[in-house]
Amino acid sequence: MNILITPGNTATHYLLRWLGKGPTLDGSSYSVHTRFKKEGLSIDYSNNYIRYKKGHKIHYLMCNPYDYILASFRRGFPSETWVHWREWCCGDPTYFKVGNTITLKEYLLNPYDAVQYKSHLTGYVENPNSEYEFLFTKYESLGDIKVQEEIRNYWGVPKNHPKLNFKERKTNWEKETEEIKQLLEQKLGEEYKWFTNLPDYFKLKPGEVL
């Protein structure tokens, strides 16, 4: 079984539509789309409970933290979904409680990292106790033919499968106002640099760390 992990707001269904493999729990080589915290080695999905097993191949789709925050706010904040996502993905669900009227600017002005996006990702790339094979890819690299080939091979998709019609994200931090750009750098600059220094795609074997 292939399992696709994202922290949310990372064009997950866009990738799944290209692969032609939607979420399923039938034990085939399809995917389970999930978001869950680094400590968890199980998935709670569609009222079913399954455990990772040795041999499962896990694909983590990530994106740069600036666009992640911007996209998350634009999709609706606060909301019940936000609270669940943060609880599953290492963030602080109490900070994002329904009824909180915090704006993007207010969030960026607060030095507290309630989302903890990096923590979610490092829980996988720096886990020496992992028993699973991982492929990590950046959304920004999906237009690269080499990256598409890596994904197809990893998922067992035939070579004659159509190429991905890559589209730039609607959210682009570079199109923001200078004020928002400065606030993003102030709060998430080090995290952004860390992310950009990661390879566009890489694999980790069980117990291997980046």
Side-chain angles (χ1 to χ4, degrees):
M1 176 181 286
N2 289 338
I3 298 170
L4 180 61
I5 293 176
T6 78
N9 291 339
T10 317
T12 313
H13 291 285
Y14 170 64
L15 180 63
L16 290 175
R17 284 195 297 271
W18 169 57
L19 293 169
K21 295 171 178 268
T24 180
L25 293 174
D26 63 5
S28 68
S29 60
Y30 286 9
S31 76
V32 173
H33 169 210
T34 184
R35 312 172 181 91
F36 71 102
K37 61 182 65 177
K38 60 185 177 182
E39 294 87 356
L41 293 179
S42 60
I43 302 172
D44 187 2
Y45 187 85
S46 299
N47 298 319
N48 290 284
Y49 186 77
I50 64 172
R51 288 189 177 278
Y52 286 1
K53 297 178 181 179
K54 290 184 179 180
H56 283 179
K57 301 174 74 174
I58 304 173
H59 181 183
Y60 191 116
L61 180 63
M62 50 190 172
C63 70
N64 80 71
Y66 287 177
D67 286 345
Y68 177 73
I69 291 297
L70 294 172
S72 297
F73 270 83
R74 286 188 174 133
R75 289 193 178 190
F77 176 87
S79 70
E80 185 176 352
T81 300
W82 253 93
V83 176
H84 289 320
W85 283 6
R86 300 284 56 82
E87 185 175 12
W88 297 339
C89 300
C90 300
D92 182 353
T94 61
Y95 183 91
F96 298 105
K97 62 184 178 181
V98 176
N100 189 347
T101 58
I102 187 172
T103 64
L104 170 65
K105 184 177 178 179
E106 289 171 336
Y107 175 75
L108 294 177
L109 283 169
N110 187 339
Y112 176 54
D113 179 16
V115 171
Q116 299 178 35
Y117 176 81
K118 181 180 177 181
S119 178
H120 187 266
L121 179 52
T122 55
Y124 293 98
V125 300
E126 299 177 3
N127 182 9
N129 298 316
S130 170
E131 298 179 344
Y132 314 100
E133 179 182 352
F134 280 91
L135 170 67
F136 296 85
T137 57
K138 293 180 178 179
Y139 176 85
E140 295 82 0
S141 71
L142 293 182
D144 188 325
I145 298 300
K146 292 183 179 179
V147 175
Q148 293 183 26
E149 290 178 352
E150 285 289 336
I151 295 172
R152 285 201 304 267
N153 292 337
Y154 195 76
W155 284 69
V157 175
K159 291 183 178 180
N160 61 354
H161 191 75
K163 296 179 181 178
L164 174 66
N165 181 23
F166 179 70
K167 298 179 181 179
E168 297 287 345
R169 290 178 63 107
K170 293 181 181 179
T171 298
N172 185 341
W173 69 270
E174 294 181 338
K175 296 180 180 179
E176 293 294 320
T177 65
E178 288 302 316
E179 179 185 27
I180 294 299
K181 288 180 184 178
Q182 291 175 7
L183 290 175
L184 284 168
E185 182 177 8
Q186 176 179 301
K187 180 162 186 170
L188 301 169
E190 291 302 315
E191 188 170 315
Y192 181 84
K193 291 178 183 177
W194 174 82
F195 176 86
T196 55
N197 286 330
L198 293 174
D200 286 341
Y201 67 94
F202 56 97
K203 294 179 182 178
L204 293 179
K205 298 178 180 178
E208 186 178 9
V209 298
L210 184 65

